[in-house]
Coordinates of all heavy atoms in Angstrom, one line a residue:
M759 N 0.8 -1.2 0.0 CA 0.0 0.0 0.1 C 0.9 1.2 0.0 O 1.8 1.4 0.8 CB -0.9 0.0 1.3 CG -1.8 1.1 1.3 SD -3.1 0.8 2.6 CE -2.7 2.3 3.6
S760 N 0.6 2.2 -0.8 CA 1.3 3.4 -1.0 C 0.8 4.4 0.1 O -0.3 4.6 0.2 CB 1.2 4.0 -2.4 OG 1.7 3.2 -3.3
T761 N 1.9 5.1 0.7 CA 1.5 6.1 1.7 C 2.3 7.5 1.3 O 3.5 7.4 1.0 CB 2.0 5.8 3.1 OG1 1.4 4.5 3.4 CG2 1.6 6.8 4.1
P762 N 1.4 8.5 1.0 CA 2.2 9.8 0.7 C 2.8 10.4 1.8 O 2.4 10.3 3.0 CB 1.0 10.6 0.1 CG -0.2 10.1 0.9 CD 0.1 8.6 1.1
V763 N 3.9 11.2 1.5 CA 4.5 12.0 2.6 C 4.2 13.4 2.1 O 4.5 13.9 1.0 CB 6.1 11.8 2.5 CG1 6.8 12.7 3.6 CG2 6.4 10.4 2.8
T764 N 3.6 14.2 3.0 CA 3.1 15.6 2.7 C 3.7 16.6 3.6 O 4.3 16.2 4.7 CB 1.6 15.7 2.8 OG1 1.3 15.4 4.2 CG2 0.9 14.7 1.8
V765 N 3.7 17.9 3.1 CA 4.2 19.0 3.9 C 3.1 19.7 4.5 O 1.9 19.7 3.9 CB 5.1 20.0 3.1 CG1 6.4 19.3 2.6 CG2 4.3 20.4 1.9
P766 N 3.2 20.2 5.8 CA 2.0 20.8 6.5 C 1.7 22.2 6.0 O 0.6 22.6 6.3 CB 2.5 20.7 7.9 CG 4.0 20.9 7.9 CD 4.4 20.1 6.6
M767 N 2.7 22.9 5.4 CA 2.4 24.3 5.0 C 3.2 24.7 3.8 O 4.1 24.0 3.4 CB 2.7 25.2 6.2 CG 4.1 25.1 6.7 SD 4.5 26.2 8.1 CE 3.6 25.2 9.4
V768 N 2.9 25.9 3.3 CA 3.7 26.4 2.2 C 5.1 26.7 2.6 O 5.3 27.1 3.8 CB 3.0 27.8 1.7 CG1 3.9 28.5 0.7 CG2 1.6 27.4 1.2
G769 N 6.0 26.4 1.8 CA 7.5 26.7 2.0 C 8.4 26.2 1.0 O 7.9 26.0 -0.1
K770 N 9.7 26.1 1.4 CA 10.7 25.7 0.4 C 11.4 24.5 1.0 O 11.7 24.5 2.2 CB 11.6 26.9 0.2 CG 12.7 26.6 -0.9 CD 13.6 27.8 -1.2 CE 14.7 28.0 -0.3 NZ 15.5 29.2 -0.7
I771 N 11.6 23.5 0.1 CA 12.3 22.3 0.5 C 13.8 22.7 0.5 O 14.5 23.2 -0.5 CB 12.1 21.2 -0.5 CG1 10.7 20.8 -0.6 CG2 13.1 20.0 -0.2 CD1 10.1 20.2 0.7
V772 N 14.5 22.6 1.7 CA 15.9 22.9 1.9 C 16.8 21.8 1.5 O 17.7 22.0 0.8 CB 16.1 23.3 3.4 CG1 17.6 23.6 3.6 CG2 15.3 24.5 3.8
S773 N 16.3 20.6 1.8 CA 17.1 19.4 1.6 C 16.1 18.2 1.4 O 15.1 18.1 2.1 CB 18.3 19.2 2.4 OG 17.7 18.9 3.7
V774 N 16.6 17.2 0.7 CA 15.9 15.9 0.6 C 16.9 14.9 1.1 O 18.1 14.8 0.5 CB 15.5 15.5 -0.9 CG1 14.8 14.2 -0.9 CG2 14.6 16.7 -1.5
T775 N 16.6 14.2 2.2 CA 17.6 13.3 2.9 C 17.5 11.9 2.4 O 18.2 11.0 3.0 CB 17.5 13.6 4.4 OG1 16.1 13.3 4.7 CG2 18.0 14.9 4.7
V776 N 16.6 11.5 1.6 CA 16.4 10.2 1.1 C 16.4 10.1 -0.5 O 16.3 11.2 -1.1 CB 15.1 9.5 1.5 CG1 15.0 9.4 3.0 CG2 13.9 10.3 1.0
K777 N 16.5 8.9 -1.0 CA 16.5 8.8 -2.4 C 15.5 7.6 -2.8 O 15.2 6.8 -1.9 CB 17.8 8.7 -3.1 CG 18.7 7.6 -2.5 CD 20.2 7.8 -3.2 CE 21.1 6.8 -2.7 NZ 21.3 6.7 -1.3
V778 N 15.1 7.5 -4.0 CA 14.3 6.3 -4.3 C 15.0 5.0 -4.0 O 16.2 4.8 -4.2 CB 13.9 6.4 -5.9 CG1 13.2 5.1 -6.4 CG2 13.1 7.7 -6.2
E779 N 14.2 4.1 -3.5 CA 14.7 2.8 -3.1 C 15.3 2.7 -1.7 O 15.7 1.6 -1.2 CB 15.6 2.1 -4.2 CG 14.8 1.8 -5.4 CD 15.7 1.0 -6.5 OE1 16.7 0.5 -6.1 OE2 15.2 1.0 -7.6
D780 N 15.4 3.9 -1.0 CA 15.9 3.9 0.3 C 14.8 3.2 1.2 O 13.6 3.5 1.0 CB 16.1 5.3 0.9 CG 17.5 5.8 0.4 OD1 18.3 5.1 -0.3 OD2 17.7 7.0 0.7
K781 N 15.3 2.6 2.2 CA 14.4 1.9 3.2 C 14.3 3.0 4.4 O 15.3 3.5 4.8 CB 14.9 0.7 3.8 CG 15.1 -0.4 2.7 CD 14.1 -1.6 3.0 CE 14.4 -2.7 2.0 NZ 13.6 -2.6 0.8
V782 N 13.1 3.3 4.8 CA 12.9 4.2 5.9 C 12.1 3.6 7.1 O 11.3 2.7 6.8 CB 12.3 5.6 5.5 CG1 13.2 6.3 4.6 CG2 10.9 5.4 4.9
K783 N 12.3 4.1 8.3 CA 11.4 3.7 9.4 C 10.5 4.9 9.7 O 10.8 6.0 9.3 CB 12.3 3.3 10.6 CG 13.1 2.1 10.4 CD 13.8 1.7 11.6 CE 14.5 0.4 11.3 NZ 15.7 0.1 12.2
E784 N 9.4 4.5 10.3 CA 8.5 5.6 10.7 C 9.3 6.7 11.6 O 10.1 6.3 12.4 CB 7.3 5.0 11.6 CG 6.3 6.0 12.0 CD 5.1 5.3 12.7 OE1 5.1 4.1 12.8 OE2 4.2 6.0 13.1
D785 N 9.0 7.9 11.3 CA 9.6 9.1 11.9 C 11.1 9.4 11.4 O 11.7 10.3 12.0 CB 9.6 9.0 13.4 CG 8.1 9.0 14.0 OD1 7.3 9.8 13.3 OD2 7.9 8.5 15.0
D786 N 11.5 8.7 10.4 CA 12.9 9.0 9.8 C 12.7 10.2 9.0 O 11.6 10.5 8.4 CB 13.4 7.9 8.9 CG 14.0 6.7 9.6 OD1 14.1 6.8 10.9 OD2 14.4 5.8 8.9
E787 N 13.7 11.2 9.0 CA 13.6 12.3 8.2 C 13.7 12.1 6.7 O 14.5 11.3 6.2 CB 14.8 13.3 8.5 CG 14.7 14.6 7.9 CD 15.9 15.5 8.3 OE1 15.8 16.1 9.4 OE2 16.9 15.6 7.5
V788 N 12.7 12.6 6.0 CA 12.6 12.5 4.5 C 13.2 13.8 3.8 O 13.9 13.7 2.8 CB 11.2 12.2 4.0 CG1 11.1 12.2 2.5 CG2 10.7 10.9 4.7
A789 N 12.9 14.9 4.4 CA 13.3 16.2 3.8 C 13.2 17.3 4.9 O 12.7 17.0 6.0 CB 12.3 16.5 2.6
V790 N 13.7 18.5 4.6 CA 13.7 19.5 5.5 C 12.9 20.7 4.8 O 13.3 21.1 3.7 CB 15.1 20.0 5.9 CG1 14.9 21.2 6.9 CG2 15.8 18.8 6.7
L791 N 11.9 21.3 5.4 CA 11.1 22.4 4.9 C 11.5 23.6 5.6 O 11.5 23.7 6.9 CB 9.6 22.0 5.0 CG 8.6 23.1 4.6 CD1 8.6 23.1 3.1 CD2 7.3 22.8 5.2
E792 N 11.6 24.7 4.8 CA 11.7 26.0 5.5 C 10.5 26.8 5.3 O 10.0 26.9 4.2 CB 12.9 26.8 4.9 CG 13.1 28.2 5.4 CD 14.2 28.8 4.8 OE1 15.4 28.6 4.9 OE2 14.0 29.8 3.9
A793 N 9.8 27.2 6.4 CA 8.6 27.9 6.4 C 8.6 28.9 7.5 O 9.1 28.6 8.6 CB 7.4 27.0 6.5
M794 N 8.2 30.2 7.2 CA 8.2 31.2 8.3 C 9.5 31.3 9.0 O 9.5 31.5 10.2 CB 7.0 30.9 9.2 CG 5.7 30.8 8.6 SD 4.2 30.6 9.7 CE 4.7 29.5 10.9
K795 N 10.6 31.3 8.2 CA 11.9 31.4 8.7 C 12.3 30.4 9.7 O 13.3 30.5 10.5 CB 12.2 32.9 9.3 CG 11.9 33.9 8.4 CD 12.2 35.3 8.8 CE 11.9 36.4 7.8 NZ 12.3 37.7 8.2
M796 N 11.7 29.2 9.7 CA 12.1 28.1 10.5 C 12.3 26.9 9.6 O 11.6 26.8 8.6 CB 10.9 27.8 11.5 CG 10.6 28.8 12.5 SD 9.4 28.3 13.7 CE 8.1 27.6 12.7
E797 N 13.2 26.1 10.0 CA 13.4 24.8 9.3 C 12.7 23.7 10.1 O 12.8 23.6 11.3 CB 14.9 24.4 9.1 CG 15.5 25.4 8.1 CD 16.9 25.0 7.8 OE1 17.4 24.0 8.3 OE2 17.5 25.6 6.9
M798 N 11.9 22.8 9.4 CA 11.3 21.7 10.1 C 11.5 20.4 9.4 O 11.4 20.5 8.1 CB 9.8 22.0 10.3 CG 8.9 22.0 9.1 SD 7.2 22.3 9.4 CE 7.2 23.9 10.0
P799 N 11.8 19.4 10.1 CA 12.0 18.0 9.4 C 10.6 17.6 9.0 O 9.6 17.7 9.6 CB 12.6 17.2 10.4 CG 12.2 17.8 11.7 CD 12.1 19.3 11.5
I800 N 10.6 17.0 7.8 CA 9.4 16.3 7.3 C 9.8 14.8 7.4 O 10.8 14.3 6.9 CB 9.1 16.6 5.8 CG1 8.9 18.1 5.6 CG2 7.9 15.8 5.4 CD1 7.8 18.7 6.5
V801 N 8.9 14.1 8.2 CA 9.3 12.7 8.6 C 8.4 11.6 7.9 O 7.3 12.0 7.5 CB 9.3 12.4 10.1 CG1 10.4 13.3 10.7 CG2 7.9 12.7 10.7
A802 N 8.9 10.5 7.8 CA 8.0 9.4 7.2 C 6.9 9.0 8.1 O 7.2 8.8 9.3 CB 9.0 8.1 6.9
P803 N 5.7 8.9 7.6 CA 4.5 8.6 8.4 C 4.5 7.1 8.6 O 3.8 6.7 9.6 CB 3.3 9.0 7.6 CG 3.9 9.0 6.2 CD 5.3 9.3 6.3
V804 N 5.2 6.3 7.9 CA 5.2 4.9 8.0 C 6.6 4.3 7.7 O 7.4 4.9 7.0 CB 4.2 4.1 7.0 CG1 2.8 4.5 7.4 CG2 4.5 4.5 5.6
S805 N 6.8 3.1 8.0 CA 8.1 2.4 7.6 C 7.8 1.8 6.2 O 6.8 1.4 5.9 CB 8.4 1.2 8.6 OG 8.7 1.8 9.9
G806 N 8.9 1.7 5.5 CA 8.8 1.1 4.1 C 9.9 1.5 3.2 O 11.0 1.9 3.7
T807 N 9.7 1.5 1.9 CA 10.7 1.8 0.9 C 10.2 3.0 0.2 O 9.0 3.0 -0.3 CB 10.9 0.7 -0.1 OG1 11.3 -0.5 0.7 CG2 11.9 0.9 -1.1
V808 N 11.1 4.0 -0.1 CA 10.7 5.2 -0.9 C 10.7 4.8 -2.3 O 11.5 4.3 -2.9 CB 11.8 6.3 -0.7 CG1 11.4 7.5 -1.5 CG2 12.0 6.7 0.7
T809 N 9.4 4.9 -3.0 CA 9.3 4.5 -4.3 C 9.1 5.7 -5.3 O 9.3 5.5 -6.5 CB 7.9 3.6 -4.4 OG1 6.8 4.5 -4.0 CG2 8.0 2.4 -3.7
E810 N 9.0 6.9 -4.7 CA 8.8 8.1 -5.5 C 9.3 9.3 -4.9 O 8.9 9.5 -3.6 CB 7.4 8.2 -6.0 CG 7.2 9.2 -7.1 CD 5.6 9.1 -7.5 OE1 5.0 8.1 -7.4 OE2 5.2 10.3 -8.0
L811 N 10.0 10.2 -5.5 CA 10.3 11.5 -4.9 C 9.7 12.5 -5.9 O 10.0 12.5 -7.1 CB 11.8 11.7 -4.7 CG 12.5 11.1 -3.5 CD1 13.9 11.3 -3.6 CD2 11.9 11.6 -2.3
R812 N 9.1 13.5 -5.4 CA 8.4 14.5 -6.3 C 9.0 15.9 -6.1 O 8.5 16.9 -6.6 CB 6.9 14.5 -6.0 CG 6.2 13.2 -6.3 CD 4.8 13.3 -6.1 NE 4.1 12.1 -6.3 CZ 2.8 11.8 -6.2 NH1 2.0 12.8 -5.9 NH2 2.3 10.7 -6.5
V813 N 10.0 16.1 -5.3 CA 10.6 17.4 -5.1 C 12.2 17.3 -5.1 O 12.7 16.3 -5.0 CB 10.2 18.0 -3.6 CG1 8.7 18.3 -3.6 CG2 10.6 17.2 -2.6
N814 N 12.7 18.5 -5.2 CA 14.2 18.7 -5.1 C 14.5 19.8 -4.2 O 13.7 20.7 -3.9 CB 14.8 19.1 -6.5 CG 14.6 17.9 -7.6 OD1 15.0 16.8 -7.4 ND2 14.0 18.2 -8.7
A815 N 15.7 19.8 -3.8 CA 16.1 21.0 -2.9 C 16.0 22.2 -3.6 O 16.3 22.4 -4.8 CB 17.6 20.7 -2.4
G816 N 15.5 23.2 -2.9 CA 15.2 24.6 -3.5 C 13.9 24.9 -4.1 O 13.4 25.9 -4.5
Q817 N 13.1 23.8 -4.1 CA 11.8 23.8 -4.7 C 10.8 24.4 -3.7 O 10.7 24.0 -2.6 CB 11.4 22.4 -5.2 CG 10.1 22.3 -6.0 CD 9.7 21.0 -6.6 OE1 10.7 20.2 -6.8 NE2 8.5 20.6 -6.7
E818 N 9.8 25.3 -4.2 CA 8.7 25.8 -3.4 C 7.6 24.8 -3.4 O 7.3 24.1 -4.5 CB 8.2 27.1 -4.0 CG 9.3 28.2 -4.1 CD 9.6 28.9 -2.7 OE1 8.7 28.8 -1.9 OE2 10.6 29.4 -2.5
V819 N 6.9 24.6 -2.3 CA 5.8 23.6 -2.3 C 4.6 24.3 -1.6 O 4.7 25.2 -0.8 CB 6.2 22.3 -1.5 CG1 7.2 21.5 -2.2 CG2 6.6 22.7 -0.1
E820 N 3.4 23.9 -2.0 CA 2.2 24.3 -1.4 C 1.8 23.4 -0.2 O 2.3 22.3 -0.1 CB 1.0 24.2 -2.4 CG 1.2 25.0 -3.7 CD 1.1 26.5 -3.3 OE1 0.3 26.9 -2.5 OE2 1.9 27.3 -3.8
A821 N 0.9 23.9 0.6 CA 0.4 23.2 1.8 C -0.1 21.9 1.4 O -0.9 21.8 0.4 CB -0.5 23.9 2.6
E822 N 0.1 20.8 2.1 CA -0.4 19.4 1.8 C 0.1 18.8 0.5 O -0.4 17.7 0.1 CB -1.9 19.4 1.8 CG -2.5 19.9 3.2 CD -2.0 19.1 4.4 OE1 -1.9 17.9 4.3 OE2 -1.8 19.8 5.4
A823 N 1.2 19.4 -0.1 CA 1.7 18.8 -1.3 C 2.4 17.5 -1.0 O 3.1 17.3 0.1 CB 2.8 19.7 -1.9
V824 N 2.3 16.5 -1.8 CA 2.9 15.2 -1.7 C 4.4 15.4 -2.2 O 4.6 15.8 -3.4 CB 2.2 14.1 -2.5 CG1 2.9 12.8 -2.4 CG2 0.7 13.9 -2.1
I825 N 5.3 15.1 -1.3 CA 6.7 15.2 -1.7 C 7.3 13.9 -2.0 O 8.4 13.8 -2.6 CB 7.5 16.0 -0.7 CG1 7.6 15.3 0.7 CG2 7.0 17.4 -0.6 CD1 8.6 15.8 1.6
A826 N 6.8 12.8 -1.5 CA 7.4 11.5 -1.7 C 6.2 10.4 -1.5 O 5.2 10.7 -0.9 CB 8.5 11.2 -0.7
V827 N 6.6 9.2 -1.9 CA 5.6 8.0 -1.7 C 6.4 6.9 -1.1 O 7.5 6.6 -1.6 CB 5.0 7.7 -3.0 CG1 4.0 6.4 -2.8 CG2 4.1 8.8 -3.7
I828 N 5.9 6.3 -0.1 CA 6.5 5.2 0.6 C 5.6 4.0 0.5 O 4.4 4.1 0.7 CB 6.7 5.5 2.1 CG1 7.7 6.6 2.2 CG2 7.3 4.3 2.8 CD1 7.9 7.2 3.7
E829 N 6.2 2.8 0.1 CA 5.4 1.6 0.1 C 5.9 0.6 1.1 O 7.1 0.6 1.4 CB 5.6 0.9 -1.3 CG 4.5 1.5 -2.2 CD 4.3 0.7 -3.5 OE1 4.6 -0.5 -3.5 OE2 4.0 1.3 -4.5

């Protein structure tokens, strides 16, 4: 089952800390979002394998945007 990784608010992706086919555990950092002059880690909601990345560092994102998919 695929689980999307989303961002909570509008901001800019500072870094992406995983790549496709990486294994992640629940609460592992997937990316870092800069919003309102703060950096916040975006973490995996479930354990699994990253099957898709939809963002790159420096990219602006909207609230609730899907940045990755974990299976």
Side-chain angles (χ1 to χ4, degrees):
M759 185 170 116
S760 297
T761 302
V763 180
T764 60
V765 295
M767 62 184 70
V768 174
K770 182 168 88 174
I771 300 297
V772 176
S773 64
V774 178
T775 51
V776 296
K777 51 190 182 305
V778 172
E779 296 185 10
D780 279 359
K781 301 244 186 271
V782 294
K783 292 188 174 154
E784 187 174 354
D785 294 327
D786 281 357
E787 185 177 281
V788 173
V790 177
L791 176 73
E792 181 182 284
M794 301 186 318
K795 298 186 181 185
M796 297 183 310
E797 289 189 359
M798 70 177 65
I800 305 302
V801 298
V804 295
S805 297
T807 303
V808 178
T809 58
E810 190 177 339
L811 282 174
R812 298 186 182 177
V813 294
N814 295 307
Q817 186 173 333
E818 300 283 336
V819 291
E820 295 295 320
E822 303 304 318
V824 175
I825 63 166
V827 177
I828 297 173
E829 277 195 25

